[in-house]
Amino acid sequence: MTQDLDALPLIAPEPRPGSNLPEFTVGDLARRLKRSIEDEFGFVRVRGEISQPKKHSSGHCYLRLKDDTAVIEAVCWRGTMSKLAVKPEEGLEVIVNGRMTTYPGRSQYQLIIESMELAGEGALLKMLEERKRRLAAEGLFEPARKKPIPFLPDVIGVITSPTGAVIRDILHRLGDRFPRHVLLWPVAVQGERAAAEVTAAIQGFNRIAPGGPVPRPDLLIVARGGGSLEDLMAFNEENVVRAAAASAIPLISAVGHETDTTLIDFASDLRAPTPTAAAEMAVPVRSELLAQILDDERRLLACASRAVADRRNRVEGLARGLGDPRALLEGHAQRLDDRAERLNLAAAALLERRRTRVGELAATLRHPREKLAQAGQRLTSEARALDGALRHAVATVESRYQRVAGRLSLTPARVKLGEAERRLADLSPRLDRVYGKSVEERGAKLAALGQLLESYSYKGVLERGFALVEDREGRPITTAEQAKPGLAVTLVFGESGRVGATVDGGEPKVEAKKPEIKKPRPIPVQGSLF
């Protein structure tokens, strides 16, 4: 188990017998060297360039300080790292304060860093330029990501020192131009705590929820007065720049004077040369805005008046070219009445023509009984003709057989005559069947035509309960105008007979519904009877 070399007592070694030189162990020599170096260099101030900085997982930082001729190892413990104003970076020239010690485990001496500062303005500018280049490569300074500044914010958040003249200048300028509600987040604007507090203020304003007890700012102003480059270093820190670039609320940076430039100016949405100029950029002048509104109102009213006058003159000019609407409506109303009257007359005339045509077609129809009688006569005539033709054919065949039998011998002739008689006997039933079938088919067609004629006859309608009205001369009465009061008429009731009646001119007590006469469905007949 190893022990701390500093805790071991320093015991002078005894000389070996036969020699006057004392002998040291390795540990003793390492302790003597460590004690000598720490006593001699208990506090040193060293200037050099940082090389190979490495931050351990424990929080300690190991690095080297070098110049043109030598290199020295250095270490910065975790508690000291959080307090450094300048973070170790490769190639940065710094001045460190600390103490020298040794590390016996590696036989090396090293510098314990307790504070660190930049070695002159040139080194500081070099570090800022390198940081600016690195942040710009990440896109934090791109113009496309900058947000527009609101024209008239309701709430303005100011991040600055509460005791300086900056906040009074901003409030005074806002009161002169356009008074607004201001929220102040007090921070340190210089020193080791400044960067962390400014970062926390920007993030804190962004975390305020809209509509809560504390109003959320519409615009942020990060402000500080002028100073040296070292005084403004808090606004060059990387955490401040990243917080300004990530702010969802538009941000105006107003750090230093016109000639002062910090890295937050590149990440902000708008840069103001001074805190007073930032207040002027935040709000417009109320009096100028009112004057512009009044001027715009006057111009708008004048433009609207001219537009209305121009439209009125144009409407009046167009109205003079148009006729009197009442006259136009009267003419169209008269045309409508004329068309309506002509339509009524045309409908009545068309109905009368259709009625006349139906009467003419009905007069041309013959009674089915007449057609049946005529068809029966034709059928009887054709039957007699067919019977005579059959007898004539039989007589012709018999005469042929007789003539042939006379020329042939008796025995063959009798044989042939017998064959002819048998063939004739076989043919006769077939002729009877053909004749009977033909008569049946003609009879079926004749019956179908009779049914079709009966369906077309008006007497079928009368048999269903309707009546035909005729005058004394037998002419049908089809319109109400023909049925004059006192006219003697005859009512035909199908098979029931005829009844005389006289037309009464009085109004009917109950309006009878006009019966719907359905057209008889035609019976399809295949082929032709005749």
Side-chain angles (χ1 to χ4, degrees):
M1 183 174 181
T2 60
Q3 298 180 350
D4 190 356
L5 296 179
D6 294 335
L8 297 178
L10 294 178
I11 302 175
E14 296 181 357
R16 190 178 55 177
S19 174
N20 57 357
L21 294 177
E23 293 182 355
F24 295 93
T25 65
V26 176
D28 292 339
L29 182 59
R31 286 196 302 274
R32 285 180 178 272
L33 290 175
K34 180 179 178 66
R35 184 68 56 84
S36 299
I37 292 176
E38 289 180 350
D39 291 343
E40 181 69 19
F41 303 99
F43 177 81
V44 292
R45 185 176 175 87
V46 183
R47 178 171 182 167
E49 180 181 340
I50 296 177
S51 174
Q52 301 179 5
K54 297 179 182 179
K55 189 174 182 180
H56 198 266
S57 59
S58 61
H60 309 316
C61 181
Y62 299 92
L63 53 91
R64 292 181 178 182
L65 290 177
K66 66 178 182 179
D67 58 9
D68 296 338
T69 59
V71 177
I72 185 173
E73 299 289 337
V75 59
C76 183
W77 305 122
R78 180 178 58 185
T80 307
M81 277 289 295
S82 60
K83 302 177 182 179
L84 292 181
V86 179
K87 302 302 178 183
E89 296 182 10
E90 179 71 28
L92 188 64
E93 187 176 0
V94 295
I95 297 176
V96 298
N97 296 328
R99 55 187 175 85
M100 292 297 300
T101 185
T102 64
Y103 181 57
R106 294 183 182 178
S107 299
Q108 67 180 21
Y109 62 91
Q110 60 187 11
L111 175 64
I112 305 299
I113 299 175
E114 296 180 354
S115 66
M116 181 183 297
E117 61 185 37
L118 293 173
E121 186 174 350
L124 184 60
L125 292 177
K126 180 180 179 182
M127 182 198 68
L128 293 180
E129 187 64 28
E130 176 63 23
R131 184 177 296 174
K132 177 183 176 182
R133 183 191 60 78
R134 180 166 49 82
L135 295 178
E138 297 181 15
L140 299 182
F141 304 154
E142 290 294 332
R145 60 183 309 276
K146 297 183 181 297
K147 298 172 287 297
I149 304 300
F151 176 73
L152 186 61
D154 292 332
V155 181
I156 300 176
V158 180
I159 302 173
T160 188
S161 174
T163 59
V166 172
I167 184 62
R168 292 193 294 270
D169 292 342
I170 292 176
L171 293 177
H172 178 71
R173 181 58 64 183
L174 291 177
D176 290 343
R177 292 174 66 86
F178 207 121
R180 297 281 86 187
H181 184 60
V182 177
L183 292 179
L184 173 63
W185 194 301
V187 296
V189 294
Q190 182 177 342
E192 298 179 357
R193 298 183 296 106
E197 292 184 1
V198 172
T199 302
I202 296 175
Q203 296 174 350
F205 273 131
N206 279 271
R207 283 195 295 267
I208 297 177
V214 178
R216 179 183 173 89
D218 302 315
L219 179 66
L220 298 182
I221 298 177
V222 180
R224 187 202 186 282
S228 63
L229 183 59
E230 290 78 6
D231 296 337
L232 303 179
M233 271 302 298
F235 300 94
N236 291 316
E237 293 298 333
E238 184 173 345
N239 55 349
V240 176
V241 177
R242 292 186 181 277
S247 175
I249 303 175
L251 186 143
I252 299 177
S253 63
V255 179
H257 298 300
E258 177 68 34
T259 57
D260 297 328
T261 302
T262 56
L263 295 183
I264 194 176
D265 295 335
F266 299 98
S268 63
D269 299 305
L270 183 63
R271 175 187 179 273
T274 61
T276 303
E280 295 177 354
M281 295 176 179
V283 295
V285 180
R286 186 173 185 272
S287 58
E288 295 178 358
L289 188 61
L290 290 175
Q292 182 180 356
I293 292 175
L294 293 176
D295 182 65
D296 293 342
E297 180 184 8
R298 184 179 63 257
R299 294 174 60 187
L300 181 61
L301 291 176
C303 180
S305 300
R306 287 195 301 271
V308 171
D310 292 341
R311 299 299 189 276
R312 182 183 295 110
N313 294 333
R314 185 173 181 182
V315 170
E316 292 176 354
L318 294 174
R320 286 193 295 270
L322 297 175
D324 187 6
R326 183 175 300 175
L328 294 175
L329 290 177
E330 290 174 354
H332 287 293
Q334 185 175 0
R335 290 181 59 188
L336 181 61
D337 294 340
D338 180 60
R339 296 296 189 275
E341 184 178 359
R342 292 175 59 184
L343 181 61
N344 293 333
L345 294 176
L350 178 62
L351 184 60
E352 184 62 28
R353 288 197 300 270
R354 294 293 187 271
R355 186 182 291 111
T356 303
R357 179 60 178 165
V358 170
E360 294 175 354
L361 293 176
T364 57
L365 292 176
R366 293 192 303 175
H367 197 276
R369 291 191 180 90
E370 296 179 2
K371 289 193 172 185
L372 287 175
Q374 184 179 2
Q377 293 176 1
R378 293 183 59 186
L379 183 60
T380 303
S381 176
E382 290 185 359
R384 286 197 300 267
L386 185 60
D387 183 64
L390 180 61
R391 294 178 182 276
H392 179 70
V394 172
T396 303
V397 172
E398 290 180 351
S399 62
R400 287 184 61 190
Y401 284 147
Q402 291 176 1
R403 287 195 303 270
V404 172
R407 291 193 299 267
L408 296 175
S409 60
L410 180 59
T411 302
R414 287 181 178 178
V415 173
K416 292 182 179 180
L417 183 57
E419 292 178 358
E421 288 177 353
R422 286 194 300 270
R423 291 178 62 186
L424 183 60
D426 295 337
L427 183 61
S428 179
R430 294 175 61 188
L431 291 176
D432 292 339
R433 286 195 302 272
V434 172
Y435 176 74
K437 185 177 181 181
S438 176
V439 172
E440 290 178 0
E441 291 178 355
R442 298 295 178 88
K445 291 182 179 180
L446 184 59
L449 290 175
Q451 294 178 2
L452 180 61
L453 290 176
E454 286 292 340
S455 64
Y456 286 159
S457 175
Y458 70 94
K459 292 183 178 181
V461 179
L462 298 180
E463 291 176 356
R464 292 198 297 271
F466 297 92
L468 174 63
V469 182
E470 297 179 349
D471 57 9
R472 294 300 185 184
E473 297 179 359
R475 293 189 298 268
I477 297 175
T478 59
T479 62
E481 289 78 4
Q482 296 177 354
K484 298 179 180 180
L487 179 64
V489 296
T490 301
L491 302 179
V492 182
F493 293 97
E495 299 295 339
S496 301
R498 298 170 176 266
V499 177
T502 304
V503 177
D504 187 3
E507 294 291 335
K509 296 181 180 180
V510 179
E511 183 180 357
K513 183 177 179 182
K514 186 178 179 180
E516 179 182 1
I517 300 176
K518 298 183 179 180
K519 294 183 179 181
R521 180 181 298 176
I523 300 176
V525 179
Q526 299 292 335
S528 176
L529 181 60
F530 307 108

